[in-house]
Amino acid sequence: MYLLRLSPLHLLSFFALLLQAVLGADPLYHFCSNSKNYTSKSTYETNLNKVMKSLINTVPSKGFGVASAGKDPDEVYGLGLCRGDVSSTDCKSCLTDADPELRSRCPNDKEAIIWYDYCELKYSYDDFFGKIDTKYIFYMWNTQNVSDPATFNYKVKELLNQVATEAYQSKKFYATGELVIDSSEKLYGLAQCTRDLSSAYCKECLDNAISDLPNCCDGKRGGRVVGGSCNIRYELYSFVNS
Ligand SMILES: *[C@@H]1O[C@H](CO)[C@@H](O)[C@H](O)[C@H]1NC(C)=O
Ligand SMILES: *[C@@H]1O[C@H](CO)[C@@H](O)[C@H](O)[C@H]1NC(C)=O
């Protein structure tokens, strides 16, 4: 029989992991507009509460939704998106965490956006539905380099172009794919758009994201270009639920 010896440090990290599993994942990134504020207990706040409640209730079943509430100048527009493979239960818990997290990170801000692995949540005073978000974009990359960047970058682009084409032609604006790069390695890719866009705008958004790759991810083992309207990702390991 084996005895598992746990040091206080082990126990601590075990509880940290447990806590993370219970409390949910950390956000990837967020932006506050830092341009316009609402006051507490205002009509804008009431409308924002309505929009968030509606998104948390309606987005999980389809993985996407928009909502608006109120009238100009207090009208609030909101959008929620979950990664295409995420279950409605996980989608709901992601959005449920995202709402208070975003509000505490951007207190009283009239426009803000937050991303997690599983979901994205955005609201604004501005009617942004159907338009490509060029304001809020961030990048993530694996700090490790590949040995042959030129060939690798070419393969990444090949895979993501193929996945993007499938995504903007699909009903869910979501696609994943794989590309064997040699006998021991395989590339995995993902592309997704918010479904308020037209198919042409989804294509444009994904094309822009792919052409942005050299700015973040040149020769990197993994990378993401993540915006308010679309995102792409590639890794040398599988990262979606099948
Ligand atoms: C909005 O409120 C935040 C926090 O209370 C403050 O730091 C910021 O300067 C305000 N921005 C504007 C544009 O009033
Ligand atoms: C990857 O390559 C870049 C550019 O050549 C270099 O600056 C960086 O230190 C490398 N990173 C690692 C982890 O080797």
Side-chain angles (χ1 to χ4, degrees):
M1 180 180 144
Y2 290 99
L3 264 180
L4 194 63
R5 283 169 56 106
L6 287 175
S7 72
L9 200 68
H10 281 130
L11 275 174
L12 207 65
S13 52
F14 172 74
F15 283 116
L17 277 177
L18 201 67
L19 207 63
Q20 168 133 35
V22 173
L23 295 178
D26 290 330
L28 300 175
Y29 208 77
H30 77 281
F31 287 100
C32 311
S33 82
N34 292 321
S35 62
K36 286 189 183 178
N37 284 342
Y38 62 85
T39 48
S40 298
K41 310 251 169 13
S42 62
T43 311
Y44 193 90
E45 188 177 57
T46 308
N47 292 335
L48 179 57
N49 292 343
K50 281 185 197 161
V51 164
M52 288 302 176
K53 195 173 166 193
S54 160
L55 291 174
I56 290 168
N57 283 323
T58 59
V59 171
S61 63
K62 290 186 183 138
F64 174 74
V66 293
S68 60
K71 282 192 297 205
D72 203 39
D74 295 307
E75 186 159 7
V76 178
Y77 302 85
L79 175 153
L81 174 71
C82 286
R83 203 175 69 193
D85 62 310
V86 165
S87 71
S88 59
T89 309
D90 288 343
C91 179
K92 186 158 191 154
S93 79
C94 189
L95 294 168
T96 305
D97 290 347
D99 173 24
E101 187 68 34
L102 185 55
R103 293 211 231 179
S104 81
R105 288 176 179 229
C106 304
N108 297 74
D109 204 311
K110 287 184 96 168
E111 177 178 279
I113 182 167
I114 191 165
W115 293 269
Y116 292 72
D117 264 331
Y118 282 2
C119 71
E120 166 193 340
L121 184 64
K122 176 181 177 178
Y123 70 86
S124 177
Y125 55 89
D126 187 28
D127 179 0
F128 62 88
F129 299 161
K131 300 169 192 160
I132 298 176
D133 184 345
T134 52
K135 226 186 331 182
Y136 301 126
I137 295 175
F138 73 98
Y139 309 93
M140 291 174 80
W141 58 91
N142 186 323
T143 53
Q144 298 222 291
N145 297 317
V146 296
S147 52
D148 180 0
T151 311
F152 185 77
N153 292 341
Y154 182 83
K155 296 275 186 186
V156 166
K157 220 170 159 175
E158 182 186 343
L159 171 63
L160 289 177
N161 277 331
Q162 183 188 311
V163 172
T165 302
E166 202 184 312
Y168 76 73
Q169 290 176 346
S170 75
K171 229 174 105 185
K172 267 176 85 175
F173 278 178
Y174 168 80
T176 58
E178 303 173 6
L179 183 69
V180 173
I181 49 174
D182 59 41
S183 58
S184 64
E185 286 192 307
K186 210 174 180 185
L187 262 176
Y188 298 83
L190 172 154
Q192 184 169 25
C193 296
T194 59
R195 276 173 255 163
D196 56 316
L197 297 186
S198 64
S199 176
Y201 275 0
C202 176
K203 176 185 188 321
E204 185 179 329
C205 189
L206 292 172
D207 284 348
N208 291 342
I210 293 168
S211 40
D212 235 5
L213 279 171
N215 297 326
C216 61
C217 307
D218 206 1
K220 301 298 175 196
R221 291 180 65 87
R224 311 187 206 188
V225 178
V226 185
S229 300
C230 72
N231 66 84
I232 54 165
R233 179 177 181 184
Y234 72 90
E235 305 285 356
L236 283 165
Y237 57 86
S238 161
F239 55 89
V240 294
N241 311 307
S242 47

